[in-house]
Amino acid sequence: MKQPLPAAWPYWITLTFLPLVWMAVTQGGWWIASIPLWGWVAMPLFDLILGRDLRNPDPDTPDTELFWFRLLTWIWFPIEFVVVFASIRYLSTSGMGALEQLAVMFGIGVTTGTVGIVYAHELFHKQSRAERWLGDLLMAMVLYSHFRTEHLLVHHPWVGTPRDTVTARYNESFLSFFPRVLWQGPGSAWRAERALLARAGRSAWSTRNPFWRYAALQLAALAFAFWAGGLAGIGLFVFQAIVAVWQLELTNYVEHYGLTRRHLGDGRYEPVRAHHSWDSTHRVSNLLLLNLQRHSDHHLNPMRRYPLLQAFDEGKAPQLPTGYPPMTAMAMIPPMWSRRMNPRVREWRRRHYPDIADWSSYKAGTNPPPASAG
């Protein structure tokens, strides 16, 4: 049974990062720790207290009823722009030590990664050109613009297969996953755009290739960083971008760890199902992350706006034991991660693919599984 549309105001919890950033930049000291503590400790505690949210609003709710939800995603770019460059400007003249400045930018990177990239993801999945541009602007703020192409043209069609860079392989630690994605992702995105342009009869160097836009926006972001703080400002900006990308790829690692689609032979795979993503219905972390943790429905309906994403039960989609923040922290400790998640992957295999006895080809993630698996 469909539930009424939830209130929009709880999703605006993301704005609570702003006073913490302001205090960290202007006061330093222990205020710097408040940003990661708010996202990584306070939010999971709220999840424990407030539990899960299993409500499923009507997915056919028209956009006209979603204005306040959409407005939140529209205003974040100008907010982030001011936060990042005003902080660099202030820090460059504050007399604060270099290590303390990096600590502040670490906290800001947690914000641009936890909030900014999540908002960009929501925006570039939409048909509106203005919303896609906002998504591109947010990705330029973390120097990771190719992510839009990689996500839309590679990840969504090929999730759960060896062709998808960001599907974490079974028993692949994050410490191996992260450098692999950083190395393989840009090339994968470039090849995807080149193939798309070739099908339209255009060269990879055509002005229609969004990589030109990506480069221009990232150069503009670096220019603003130089204006705000000179060469040191560029260094601070790049550092926050690295932190934000680390946050993004930790999330990517968690979302599909060890989950694979059945190989049908001749390079074909079964359609994406709800059980090809790890889901979480923890209430507060979903407010923070715009329901990104309702990830199964996102893959089934990638254009669906975040307040309308549906929750699935254990019978349809595998469930994470907590929301993303504790899971990403756990991913940084590979033995703890494998002890907690590998048994869940094995149970997932028994439940959904009881006929597959040999998973060795899936483990490496470099060769398609044998056709006999189908």
Side-chain angles (χ1 to χ4, degrees):
M1 180 179 178
K2 300 304 177 187
Q3 305 294 319
L5 188 68
W9 67 264
Y11 288 95
W12 290 60
I13 191 175
T14 50
L15 298 184
T16 58
F17 278 92
L18 301 181
L20 300 180
V21 171
W22 170 259
M23 295 300 294
V25 171
T26 59
Q27 303 300 316
W30 287 103
W31 278 106
I32 297 172
S34 68
I35 306 170
L37 287 175
W38 184 240
W40 296 346
V41 178
M43 297 300 165
L45 287 176
F46 292 148
D47 273 342
L48 285 175
I49 295 167
L50 299 176
R52 299 173 183 267
D53 182 4
L54 301 175
R55 293 174 297 174
N56 282 326
D58 183 356
D60 296 320
T61 302
D63 275 0
T64 54
E65 297 183 28
L66 302 176
F67 173 77
W68 291 104
F69 297 95
R70 300 170 67 190
L71 179 63
L72 177 60
T73 64
W74 298 340
I75 66 173
W76 187 258
F77 168 70
I79 289 173
E80 183 171 307
F81 183 91
V82 171
V83 164
V84 171
F85 295 117
S87 296
I88 292 173
R89 187 80 167 176
Y90 184 91
L91 292 172
S92 66
T93 59
S94 67
M96 188 181 289
L99 288 178
E100 198 169 8
Q101 289 186 32
L102 287 175
V104 171
M105 295 309 293
F106 178 89
I108 292 175
V110 170
T111 305
T112 57
T114 302
V115 181
I117 295 180
V118 170
Y119 282 36
H121 169 263
E122 171 71 15
L123 289 161
F124 60 58
H125 266 291
K126 302 302 172 277
Q127 292 180 334
S128 163
R129 171 175 276 189
E131 288 180 303
R132 289 193 172 214
W133 262 98
L134 284 172
D136 283 343
L137 289 166
L138 284 167
M139 293 312 301
M141 292 290 292
V142 295
L143 303 177
Y144 214 60
S145 297
H146 73 275
F147 173 68
R148 186 182 99 161
T149 290
E150 176 72 357
H151 187 79
L152 297 179
L153 299 187
V154 181
H155 176 62
H156 270 269
W158 296 106
V159 63
T161 78
R163 290 184 62 174
D164 178 34
T165 302
V166 299
T167 294
R169 324 308 186 196
Y170 177 72
N171 242 4
E172 179 182 30
S173 74
F174 178 75
L175 302 182
S176 297
F177 171 87
F178 190 39
R180 177 176 68 77
V181 171
L182 293 180
W183 176 256
Q184 295 179 355
S188 175
W190 172 263
R191 290 189 295 273
E193 288 291 358
R194 184 179 63 190
L196 185 64
L197 289 164
R199 290 195 290 273
R202 295 188 175 94
S203 162
W205 303 103
S206 164
T207 55
R208 296 291 187 92
N209 191 330
F211 271 75
W212 293 109
R213 180 169 71 253
Y214 299 162
L217 292 176
Q218 291 183 173
L219 285 172
L222 289 168
F224 274 108
F226 182 78
W227 166 82
L231 291 177
I234 289 178
L236 292 173
F237 180 77
V238 170
F239 180 70
Q240 71 80 30
I242 292 170
V243 174
V245 169
W246 167 63
Q247 292 279 276
L248 164 66
E249 297 303 352
L250 273 168
T251 300
N252 277 331
Y253 177 81
V254 168
E255 287 171 342
H256 305 280
Y257 174 77
L259 307 184
T260 48
R261 287 154 62 188
R262 185 190 295 274
H263 185 241
L264 303 178
D266 299 324
R268 296 178 300 111
Y269 293 85
E270 65 175 314
V272 177
R273 308 291 189 197
H275 63 262
H276 293 126
S277 302
W278 292 102
D279 250 29
S280 171
T281 54
H282 290 79
R283 185 183 303 272
V284 178
S285 50
N286 265 317
L287 294 175
L288 175 66
L289 300 172
L290 300 186
N291 282 337
L292 183 65
Q293 299 174 147
R294 294 188 170 203
H295 208 61
S296 293
D297 192 40
H298 170 66
H299 271 271
L300 296 177
N301 300 282
M303 301 294 284
R304 181 168 288 168
R305 293 197 180 272
Y306 70 90
L308 306 181
L309 289 170
Q310 306 291 289
F312 293 101
D313 60 27
E314 181 71 39
K316 291 186 177 179
Q319 302 293 310
L320 291 170
T322 71
Y324 284 178
M327 297 306 300
T328 55
M330 194 185 306
M332 289 298 299
I333 309 173
M336 182 183 297
W337 173 266
S338 59
R339 280 198 303 270
R340 194 70 186 269
M341 289 303 296
N342 283 4
R344 282 179 160 80
V345 175
R346 293 192 293 269
E347 173 57 30
W348 174 89
R349 289 174 171 180
R350 287 190 291 269
R351 173 177 294 191
H352 296 285
Y353 301 97
D355 56 307
I356 300 178
D358 180 13
W359 288 87
S360 58
S361 295
Y362 289 78
K363 182 178 179 180
T366 53
N367 299 306
S372 60

